[in-house]
Amino acid sequence: MKIQNIEEYHSIYKQSVENPEQFWAEVARQFEWISPFSETLKWDFEKPDVQWFINGKTNITLNCLDRHLANHADKTALIWESNDPKEKEIRFTYARLHEEVCRMANVLKNNGVKKGDRVCIYMPMIPELTISVLACARIGAVHSVVFAGFSAHALADRIQDAQANVVITSDGLNRGTKEVAVKRVVDEALDSGCDSIQKVIVANRLGWTVDMTHGRDVFLHDELLKVNADCPAEPMDSEDMLFILYTSGSTGKPKGVVHTIGGYMVYAGYTFDTVFQCGEKDIFWCTADVGWITGHSYLIYGPLLNGATTLMFEGIPTYPDAGRFWQVIDKYGVTHFYTAPTAIRALMASGVDHVLGYNLHSLKLLGTVGEPINEEAWKWYHLHIGKGRCPIVDTWWQTETGGIMISAIGHFSPQKPAHAGLPLPGIQPVLLNNDGKEIKENEQEGYLAIRFPWPSIIRTTYGDHERCRLTYFSTYNNYYFTGDGARRDADGLYRIIGRVDDVINVSGHRFGTAEVENAINQNKKVVESAVVGFPHYIKGQGIYAFVVCEKIPESPDFTREEILETVTQEIGRIAKPDKIQFVTALPKTRSGKIMRRILRKVAEGDTSNLGDTSTLLDPLVVDEIVQGAI
Ligand code: WTA
């Protein structure tokens, strides 16, 4: 939806709230349906049961690919830029991408994948990843992409939970100067017992020799020789599952967030168009990995649904040096650049010299996502990258929301550093107080919730609907609860403060404190642990672990390394604690509850006022913890 100015925004917003079903039906009709929906929405947040575009039949790839063939067959759909700046890029026109997706879809079919089956995709950022995602959608299989930085253990958990039949992977991966034997991680995961898996399809990235299990493992390049490019899109019901994506919550293991076809398609397409306002010749670059929701919605689906050109980058911002992002923008004439505050802060720390040699004139709009952006980073981004002329869209949303919810739009929204801004048309956020009542006034802080469904609201957590209800729909009656705290300024702009639950956001990646504690506790020397977040200059939040061992370690550095290794094995390197403090006991109440409030204060380095510690079983523990703080 191309909105031109703030008056128009307010008028459309008003209509969208007064008559949401009509609003969304009109948005949805701009997509191609095999048969139209008969009813726009049915919803009940108590159960929860939300259905959009009921009885509509479509296939998201018809809208991402086939639809553009008539007029845009030769337009570039996807540009792939290697980790190695010397390796030549690969460009896919819409016609070629369509062909490759159909061929991959036929490979999946030949390997026994049927409509409704779950396919796990554990791959680096190579074109085959995007093609595999779309190939699943083409035949109605449910993709479950697992970020290739997760460990074998974490991968196995996700495969088992989704009961996936097939894994698509690669021989290895290449990021910066690092090479990882990806296929070996898959083998390790499958060795630990993933009985549902029948086939492993291996793409060739590094040309490595890999162990292949006879009857189970096949090479993608061999399989592609056996198929043609003829694969009609499977007609799917609007509420059929499109994908599962695992994300961390405050309790237990990561949960499989489920999105369905009609609603997700409409919302990913609508938000991409509305927020970024890309023109015909623009080049859109989202730096997120496809293993996260941002990669799903704004590297693949959003741009392709709109016939845009999307850029996929295999590498990291600091290889071969801190100028890589700017070099890539210069090379392709990127117009829209969408990244995470943590990347901006990391690059900011290397000064501005690495920006100066590149021509960034092509840029029209900048975006951020995943965590709050601090004012300093916002200003640096605005001045040194946007040269003071590009607006910044600070987009707030979640894996569970499927697409951007609160954000500036294109060129006209008010620009206020660290503020996500106003809700998109169709989105009804509220702030709730401790009693669960809506705070009507501005300049107040509260719990951020949404009072009316939007098309890509989470449908369920895979295999455990009750968990979905408890996590998102039971805290406040008849609201979707986000887990975030927020503040509204005098003009109604939202500023996201951060999580109010036990989720920490490290470099824009979500971890549950319980999840990291469980990983640490797997180490044989550890008796128990407590994990909290603390402010970290580059990562936004860092992980601080308080660990009780059987006896205080004689060589703490060694034990620390062992614990880091355990976490790497259980979850992946991205979840390694930044600080580990060994303590003789954790501060617990008489009923055995860990007083995290105290630990958070210690981790933040603010021990001047620890509040009431009289309910602690052993208040002396606190002195020891404060003295040993890192
Ligand atoms: C946080 C990422 C502040 C928030 C799309 C949310 C943000 C969690 C922003 C979801 C933003 C995301 N400003 N905080 N612009 N965007 N967050 O599921 O705490 O990986 O609940 O989705 O990231 O993280 P997720």
Side-chain angles (χ1 to χ4, degrees):
M1 187 176 286
K2 299 282 193 272
I3 305 176
Q4 309 292 342
N5 53 51
I6 194 80
E7 292 75 32
E8 195 185 353
Y9 160 80
H10 284 298
S11 129
I12 294 177
Y13 186 80
K14 190 159 172 281
Q15 291 165 30
S16 79
V17 172
E18 284 169 2
N19 204 338
E21 294 192 28
Q22 189 187 332
F23 173 81
W24 286 117
E26 269 168 37
V27 174
R29 284 196 196 102
Q30 287 156 25
F31 294 80
E32 201 171 296
W33 297 85
I34 297 169
S35 52
F37 47 95
S38 54
E39 200 180 334
T40 305
L41 170 67
K42 269 200 229 156
W43 67 292
D44 174 355
F45 272 0
E46 296 254 309
K47 284 189 174 131
D49 178 15
V50 182
Q51 298 175 44
W52 281 93
F53 315 121
I54 296 154
N55 296 322
K57 301 269 184 291
T58 189
N59 184 298
I60 196 166
T61 68
L62 286 180
N63 282 280
C64 287
L65 300 169
D66 304 59
R67 196 181 186 187
H68 308 308
L69 295 184
N71 299 318
H72 288 102
D74 296 330
K75 178 171 174 175
T76 304
L78 175 70
I79 304 172
W80 176 78
E81 166 75 11
S82 164
N83 176 61
D84 176 0
K86 291 194 216 72
E87 185 175 349
K88 189 160 169 41
E89 76 270 15
I90 307 178
R91 288 173 195 260
F92 295 80
T93 60
Y94 271 93
R96 177 169 169 204
L97 188 60
H98 177 266
E99 189 184 317
E100 303 262 2
V101 167
C102 288
R103 283 158 59 85
M104 183 73 202
N106 283 334
V107 166
L108 293 178
K109 279 195 206 163
N110 275 354
N111 281 279
V113 179
K114 293 184 295 301
K115 179 173 175 172
D117 286 354
R118 273 82 52 220
V119 174
C120 175
I121 303 178
Y122 184 76
M123 287 180 115
M125 287 281 281
I126 55 177
E128 290 87 339
L129 167 55
T130 298
I131 292 166
S132 299
V133 164
L134 294 166
C136 288
R138 186 85 179 166
I139 62 171
V142 177
H143 55 78
S144 167
V145 183
V146 177
F147 172 62
F150 278 118
S151 67
H153 193 135
L155 173 63
D157 274 353
R158 286 157 175 78
I159 289 174
Q160 284 159 6
D161 189 84
Q163 286 291 296
N165 306 92
V166 168
V167 185
I168 311 175
T169 187
S170 69
D171 50 355
L173 73 76
N174 204 352
R175 266 165 75 80
T177 52
K178 224 176 46 198
E179 288 182 338
V180 180
V182 182
K183 169 67 164 60
R184 219 182 291 154
V185 181
V186 172
D187 288 340
E188 201 186 312
L190 299 190
D191 284 348
S192 71
C194 293
D195 299 341
S196 57
I197 293 294
Q198 275 144 24
K199 281 279 157 78
V200 178
I201 302 174
V202 186
N204 209 337
R205 170 60 185 123
L206 300 180
W208 286 358
T209 311
V210 292
D211 292 339
M212 299 292 275
T213 300
H214 186 69
R216 187 194 73 182
D217 303 353
V218 293
F219 280 114
L220 179 57
H221 56 257
D222 290 338
E223 296 303 293
L224 284 169
L225 295 175
K226 302 178 191 162
V227 296
N228 62 22
D230 183 16
C231 179
E234 185 72 30
M236 301 297 290
D237 190 86
S238 200
E239 283 299 332
D240 280 337
M241 244 188 270
L242 176 63
F243 66 85
I244 305 172
L245 186 58
Y246 286 85
T247 192
S248 301
S250 44
T251 54
K253 290 201 296 193
K255 46 187 176 274
V257 172
V258 170
H259 284 291
T260 56
I261 289 159
Y264 178 81
M265 172 180 83
V266 169
Y267 201 71
Y270 158 80
T271 50
F272 176 82
D273 189 33
T274 306
V275 172
F276 298 107
Q277 310 251 327
C278 266
E280 186 58 38
K281 297 214 152 50
D282 287 342
I283 296 191
F284 184 85
W285 181 15
C286 163
T287 67
D289 194 288
V290 172
W292 313 113
I293 190 70
T294 308
H296 280 59
S297 299
Y298 301 109
L299 195 159
I300 301 183
Y301 286 117
L304 297 180
L305 285 164
N306 285 282
T309 299
T310 183
L311 195 143
M312 178 179 202
F313 173 47
E314 184 187 32
I316 55 170
T318 48
Y319 177 79
D321 57 50
R324 187 67 192 275
F325 273 178
W326 327 126
Q327 179 252 328
V328 174
I329 292 174
D330 188 352
K331 177 173 176 189
Y332 297 104
V334 169
T335 53
H336 293 65
F337 179 65
Y338 189 35
T339 196
T342 189
I344 299 167
R345 286 190 297 262
L347 295 173
M348 196 167 98
S350 327
V352 288
D353 287 355
H354 59 85
V355 187
L356 297 177
Y358 299 106
N359 183 346
L360 303 182
H361 281 82
S362 57
L363 285 173
K364 297 180 183 171
L365 187 136
L366 304 172
T368 69
V369 56
E371 47 176 326
I373 179 162
N374 48 313
E375 214 164 312
E376 196 192 350
W378 193 99
K379 288 188 168 148
W380 188 89
Y381 196 33
H382 190 249
L383 180 67
H384 295 290
I385 308 307
K387 312 294 180 196
R389 56 177 182 81
C390 300
I392 296 179
V393 296
D394 174 354
T395 62
W396 173 82
W397 57 297
Q398 309 178 295
T399 306
E400 296 86 342
T401 70
I404 297 167
M405 304 284 280
I406 301 180
S407 168
I409 291 178
H411 284 74
F412 60 79
S413 293
Q415 293 276 304
K416 189 168 176 187
H419 286 68
L422 297 169
L424 296 191
I427 301 304
Q428 302 188 32
V430 294
L431 295 180
L432 303 177
N433 65 17
N434 282 331
D435 304 325
K437 295 272 173 317
E438 285 185 25
I439 301 170
K440 299 284 183 197
E441 313 80 50
N442 284 343
E443 300 195 77
Q444 298 286 324
E445 197 175 308
Y447 301 110
L448 181 63
I450 318 284
R451 75 164 154 222
F452 195 86
W454 62 99
S456 59
I457 185 173
I458 178 176
R459 296 301 194 271
T460 190
T461 43
Y462 191 76
D464 190 352
H465 193 63
E466 178 61 4
R467 188 162 177 207
C468 174
R469 189 185 73 78
L470 284 173
T471 314
Y472 307 105
F473 298 93
S474 70
T475 319
Y476 303 106
N477 265 346
N478 272 315
Y479 294 98
Y480 164 83
F481 177 47
T482 65
D484 279 320
R487 187 182 163 81
R488 227 174 10 230
D489 78 359
D491 302 317
L493 305 186
Y494 284 86
R495 174 184 195 141
I496 310 300
I497 293 161
R499 302 288 306 196
V500 292
D501 53 10
D502 286 323
V503 170
I504 36 188
N505 192 329
V506 184
S507 302
H509 302 150
R510 276 166 69 169
F511 296 103
T513 50
E515 184 188 357
V516 182
E517 286 161 10
N518 289 340
I520 294 173
N521 297 350
Q522 294 303 313
N523 186 294
K524 286 196 300 291
K525 291 184 180 158
V526 174
V527 177
E528 62 175 342
S529 61
V531 161
V532 296
F534 71 96
H536 186 288
Y537 175 63
I538 288 183
K539 299 177 174 184
Q541 274 189 302
I543 301 179
Y544 195 128
F546 298 87
V547 177
V548 182
C549 289
E550 268 166 20
K551 47 184 197 289
I552 286 282
E554 278 162 25
S555 49
D557 287 345
F558 182 72
T559 310
R560 215 171 265 131
E561 282 306 316
E562 285 184 326
I563 291 174
L564 293 180
E565 185 49 37
T566 309
V567 174
T568 304
Q569 274 173 22
E570 292 294 315
I571 306 176
R573 292 164 52 91
I574 48 176
K576 284 201 303 192
D578 299 273
K579 295 181 180 181
I580 295 177
Q581 181 183 348
F582 295 107
V583 295
T584 50
L586 297 170
K588 288 188 181 169
T589 61
R590 290 198 180 87
S591 58
K593 240 179 115 191
I594 297 171
M595 266 201 164
R596 287 173 187 278
R597 175 175 59 77
I598 293 174
L599 297 178
R600 263 186 228 116
K601 289 237 169 198
V602 174
E604 283 163 15
D606 171 20
T607 48
S608 55
N609 177 14
L610 290 176
D612 182 12
T613 53
S614 61
T615 56
L616 285 176
L617 189 61
D618 178 7
L620 290 180
V621 168
V622 176
D623 297 339
E624 179 212 310
I625 291 177
V626 169
Q627 271 156 31
I630 305 171

